[in-house]
Amino acid sequence: MIYHFQGGAKVAHHKHRTEGKPIEALPMPSRLFVHIHQNMGAPSKPVVAVGDEIQKGQLIAEPTAFVSVPIHAPTSGKVVAIETHPHPSMGKGTAIVIEPDGKETWVKGKPEQLDFRAMTRDQILTRIRDGGLVGLGGATFPTHVKLTPPANTPVRTVILNGAECEPYLTSDDALMRTRAEDMVTGLEIILKALGATESYIGIEDNKPEAIAALSQAAKRLQGCRVVVLRSRYPQGAERSMIKAILGKWLPGGKLPMALGVVVQNVTTAACITDAVVRGIPLIERVVTVTGSAVNQPKNVRVLVGTTWADLLRFCGGTTSDLSRLVAGGPMMGVAQSSFDTPIVKASGGLLALSKRDIAVPPVGPCLRCGNCLEACPMGLAPFAFPTYVRERDWQGAKRANALHCVECGSCEYSCPANRPIVHSVRVLKKAIAEADAKAKAAKMETKAGVGAA
Ligand code: SF4
Ligand code: SF4
């Protein structure tokens, strides 16, 4: 049986360029640019200075809040600068620049194999936090926070998310085929950390080898079910995953915990095993480098801090008709303005697209066809959002739940008139936040005035 959610879009897939290829390791770059802000929440604070000799796995930036994570040296070498540098999703940010010494000397005290079954829940969470783990499906939410539900919100069910529904990306697929055992161990660790008893692994039906590998590995985990999902975008969104597997609808504005569920990406699960069992922090990842404008598309194992330029060089460079670089997938990725931008923990892909890939047909008036209504996995009325922008009706947009939009792009993809719906939603979200902040400030001023009187 193949499970599915409501809505979504049947997007054209371009996974063939890297699908089934082995993961290749990138040779050591001459410089690494390690950003201190790589997670949702607060940035970290550097604890090294220019001139310091550092070792692989050493803490180089410490968390500054509960919703923050430590950053570790991806290799041994020397800190040569701490400076402003392009960031793949934030424009610019502070990066610790490392000149590798090529020795790959691990920091002292890195533990060998540990048994997570002998650990307490707190010990597991501490190791996950100390490993600097964030959600690697793109959300970058600190993993230790996600695995710490409030006392009155017990979690019963864990879903490992192996959908990888973005049309070009295959890095999760490559890891599912090669690290299925570690993913299942990661799932066991998550279950123990949460005290949860029920588990599923959801994978789209276009990844038969991954389904076979995880089904085999999951045999040892009692009650764990590998669920084959219809390949439809955005199957990988948490809400779509929960709807398809559990048949439950998560209302907008609520977290999966409200239903007693936690969803974790499969690659995050493998990295949890690295951190908890092997003491290896999150310092490298697999990135899909693909698109019609890259000469040798590959899945590449790279150190965090490696630049797009180094990655593209390893993939044979780009063709002369390169028109756009995108970090992530084409549906939710971010256009890049510099080859010097480094990968961060959440960088699952780099697309080099040609003019032909990004040709945008002209925008027309809404045809009232209803395609966007059918496509929206959140049950919204996407056709109305450009109108709210035109009429500057922020309160109307709020009542229409614009804030619940997950910016998946399914509506825009399905729209025959090419209406700029996702851009409109972003404008609305910003305007609503500004209007709310103004209203709050005015309320506080009034209160202060009353108090003073
Ligand atoms: S309105 Fe938002 S959530 Fe709905 S399909 Fe469009 S982008 Fe996705
Ligand atoms: S899909 Fe496009 S044309 Fe059709 S109703 Fe929605 S906004 Fe209008």
Side-chain angles (χ1 to χ4, degrees), residues 111 114 119 123-131 275-276 278-279:
L114 292 174
M119 293 181 197
Q123 284 169 332
I124 287 175
L125 288 174
T126 301
R127 292 186 73 79
I128 289 174
R129 189 198 58 212
D130 291 352
V276 175
R278 304 180 185 119

Side-chain angles (χ1 to χ4, degrees), residues 308-381:
W308 298 142
D310 283 328
L311 257 177
L312 288 168
R313 207 171 296 122
F314 183 64
C315 294
T318 54
T319 60
S320 56
D321 59 350
L322 171 70
S323 287
R324 187 176 295 169
L325 274 186
V326 176
M331 302 299 284
M332 295 190 75
V334 180
Q336 301 295 291
S337 55
S338 169
F339 287 100
D340 293 332
T341 305
I343 74 143
V344 290
K345 294 175 181 182
S347 305
L350 175 65
L351 307 188
L353 302 173
S354 63
K355 218 179 218 159
R356 158 170 56 94
D357 297 320
I358 60 171
V360 183
V363 175
C366 175
L367 307 169
R368 299 278 182 254
C369 67
N371 285 4
C372 58
L373 280 170
E374 271 178 41
C376 182
M378 294 301 296
L380 305 176

Side-chain angles (χ1 to χ4, degrees), residues 162-437:
E164 198 171 47
C165 57
E166 273 279 8
Y168 283 75
L169 305 187
T170 59
S171 59
D172 278 353
D173 184 19
L175 279 172
M176 283 191 280
R177 288 187 285 108
T178 52
R179 293 195 65 191
E181 286 291 336
D182 280 347
M183 286 171 183
V184 173
T185 303
L187 175 55
E188 286 181 276
I189 296 171
I190 296 167
L191 287 166
K192 177 156 184 182
L194 289 166
T197 50
E198 188 180 59
S199 62
Y200 299 89
I201 303 172
I203 309 173
E204 281 194 344
D205 58 0
N206 58 1
K207 303 175 187 67
E209 282 185 44
I211 292 168
L214 263 308
S215 300
Q216 179 61 33
K219 278 183 183 162
R220 67 182 158 89
L221 183 54
Q222 207 186 0
C224 176
R225 260 186 66 204
V226 174
V227 182
V228 180
L229 304 161
R230 177 180 62 169
S231 143
R232 190 170 177 88
Y233 182 84
Q235 181 58 79
E238 289 190 336
R239 271 178 188 77
S240 311
M241 197 52 107
I242 292 170
K243 181 77 179 117
I245 294 181
L246 303 176
K248 292 180 182 171
W249 170 246
L250 179 67
K254 297 268 182 216
L255 292 172
M257 271 179 201
L259 297 175
V261 182
V262 157
V263 182
Q264 278 287 359
N265 167 270
V266 279
T267 298
T268 312
C271 292
I272 285 175
T273 301
D274 284 339
V276 175
V277 176
R278 304 180 185 119
I280 299 175
L282 182 45
I283 52 174
E284 67 172 24
R285 66 157 303 141
V286 174
V287 180
T288 301
V289 184
T290 186
S292 62
V294 65
N295 284 319
Q296 296 161 23
K298 291 175 183 179
N299 279 315
V300 190
R301 185 182 306 287
V302 281
L303 296 177
V304 168
T306 303
T307 62
W308 298 142
D310 283 328
L311 257 177
L312 288 168
R313 207 171 296 122
F314 183 64
C315 294
T318 54
T319 60
S320 56
D321 59 350
L322 171 70
S323 287
R324 187 176 295 169
L325 274 186
V326 176
M331 302 299 284
M332 295 190 75
V334 180
Q336 301 295 291
S337 55
S338 169
F339 287 100
D340 293 332
T341 305
I343 74 143
V344 290
K345 294 175 181 182
S347 305
L350 175 65
L351 307 188
L353 302 173
S354 63
K355 218 179 218 159
R356 158 170 56 94
D357 297 320
I358 60 171
V360 183
V363 175
C366 175
L367 307 169
R368 299 278 182 254
C369 67
N371 285 4
C372 58
L373 280 170
E374 271 178 41
C376 182
M378 294 301 296
L380 305 176
F383 64 83
F385 294 141
T387 311
Y388 287 123
V389 174
R390 199 181 60 234
E391 295 178 354
R392 301 175 63 79
D393 182 2
W394 317 138
Q395 290 313 315
K398 204 171 166 185
R399 283 193 298 276
N401 290 325
L403 295 178
H404 293 176
C405 168
V406 294
E407 300 179 24
C408 67
S410 302
C411 51
E412 212 169 291
Y413 187 87
S414 312
C415 177
N418 306 303
R419 306 285 295 155
I421 301 170
V422 178
H423 174 72
S424 302
V425 169
R426 287 180 185 148
V427 171
L428 289 171
K429 282 183 177 175
K430 195 162 173 260
I432 292 169
E434 282 168 5
D436 284 357

